[in-house]
Amino acid sequence: MNTTTDLTDAALDEQDCPEGNYPPDSPCFGKAAGRPRAADKAARRAALLHTAGQLFLEKGYSKVSLEMIAREAHVAVRTIYVKFGGKAGLLNAVIADGRARFFGGMDNMETDPRPMEEILRDFSLRFLELISLPTFCSLHRMVVAEAKSTPELAETFFNAGPQRTREELNRFFARPDIRAQLRPDVRPELLPVFLLNCIMGDQMSRLLFPITQPPTMDELRVRATEGLDLFLRGVKR
């Protein structure tokens, strides 16, 4: 289910700032009427996603309305519908943008010419950084708590995060040069889940308890190395 418009074209337009007086901390403060520049659009879009993400985490997905988001972000409700298709699409964009900050600087795994181990080491560390963020842990807890009463929340979270990651890993492991290095008796569809489980370890259990201190980069590197080593020992020829 694709609940958003193309995120690369989802910059906000002049509808975001209807005429009115805005406080200095508003993305619309000081904006004149007319079509804004691309940089202004990107800044307003980022501000909207930040506001929506904060409200979701503070109040819970089901308790946040589009009107509440629009009021806090100083945009029109219509803008959210047009650009994101509604609340689920807005959450999808929040998750996708957060994910892109960690994987955006990484080469496309389908075409990256580096050795398999080096590519997977890069991915593993970035993935662990992402799922160790306090905001991710809070988001995951919110999804688990509200999944039964709000199915669209669980579906949106899964499609924007876990499912997208699995699809990218599937395409990587399907590369002929990569597949040739792996055991032929291991079903291809098992590889992404096995890799992620090896990397995460007991991360899901850790989410049951309050985070007192996020792991350091050195700790994450050790966990990434150990998890990847376990994966490769199980699947390499």
Side-chain angles (χ1 to χ4, degrees):
M1 181 181 69
N2 184 5
T3 55
T4 66
T5 55
D6 186 347
L7 294 180
T8 61
D9 297 326
L12 306 180
D13 58 25
E14 64 270 20
Q15 294 295 328
D16 296 344
C17 297
E19 290 187 8
N21 295 319
Y22 299 98
D25 61 346
S26 166
C28 296
F29 179 73
K31 297 299 179 185
R35 185 169 296 278
R37 297 174 303 172
D40 293 333
K41 290 182 179 181
R44 294 177 193 177
R45 179 179 183 275
L48 171 58
L49 295 185
H50 175 75
T51 298
Q54 289 295 109
L55 288 172
F56 288 145
L57 293 180
E58 290 173 5
K59 300 180 181 298
Y61 180 81
S62 60
K63 294 182 180 180
V64 175
S65 67
L66 287 183
E67 290 75 16
M68 185 185 302
I69 296 171
R71 183 171 60 252
E72 291 290 327
H74 304 287
V75 302
V77 173
R78 175 181 174 276
T79 294
I80 300 177
Y81 278 113
V82 170
K83 299 300 181 182
F84 302 102
K87 190 164 72 168
L90 188 56
L91 176 63
N92 186 95
V94 170
I95 296 172
D97 271 33
R99 187 180 183 281
R101 283 195 291 273
F102 283 85
F103 295 105
M106 185 176 174
D107 291 339
N108 188 333
M109 295 180 73
E110 291 184 71
T111 57
D112 193 333
R114 294 179 297 169
M116 176 179 67
E117 289 84 351
E118 190 173 338
I119 298 172
L120 290 178
R121 188 178 304 113
D122 189 2
F123 167 83
S124 299
L125 182 57
R126 290 171 186 262
F127 181 78
L128 275 182
E129 283 186 81
L130 175 61
I131 67 172
S132 298
L133 286 175
T135 50
F136 174 87
C137 297
S138 297
L139 174 63
H140 189 274
R141 290 191 181 110
M142 181 188 74
V143 172
V144 172
E146 300 186 38
K148 184 176 181 180
S149 60
T150 315
E152 75 171 33
L153 170 60
E155 184 176 6
T156 300
F157 173 79
F158 181 76
N159 289 339
Q163 181 64 18
R164 184 175 176 182
T165 299
R166 294 181 187 187
E167 290 171 351
E168 291 178 357
L169 288 173
N170 265 324
R171 291 192 291 271
F172 171 72
F173 289 126
R175 283 172 43 174
D177 60 319
I178 300 299
R179 189 61 187 157
Q181 302 177 58
L182 306 176
R183 286 170 41 188
D185 58 321
V186 177
R187 288 188 287 124
E189 62 268 25
L190 296 181
L191 293 170
V193 177
F194 182 40
L195 172 62
L196 294 175
N197 286 341
C198 288
I199 297 170
M200 286 191 294
D202 65 345
Q203 175 68 12
M204 295 302 103
S205 297
R206 293 190 183 100
L207 292 178
L208 295 173
F209 306 95
I211 299 177
T212 56
Q213 184 67 38
T216 65
M217 281 301 300
D218 286 341
E219 292 171 333
L220 291 179
R221 287 191 184 92
V222 171
R223 285 168 53 186
T225 299
E226 292 176 342
L228 180 58
D229 181 66
L230 178 62
F231 170 78
L232 292 175
R233 286 176 182 271
V235 302
K236 284 191 69 175
R237 290 178 183 267

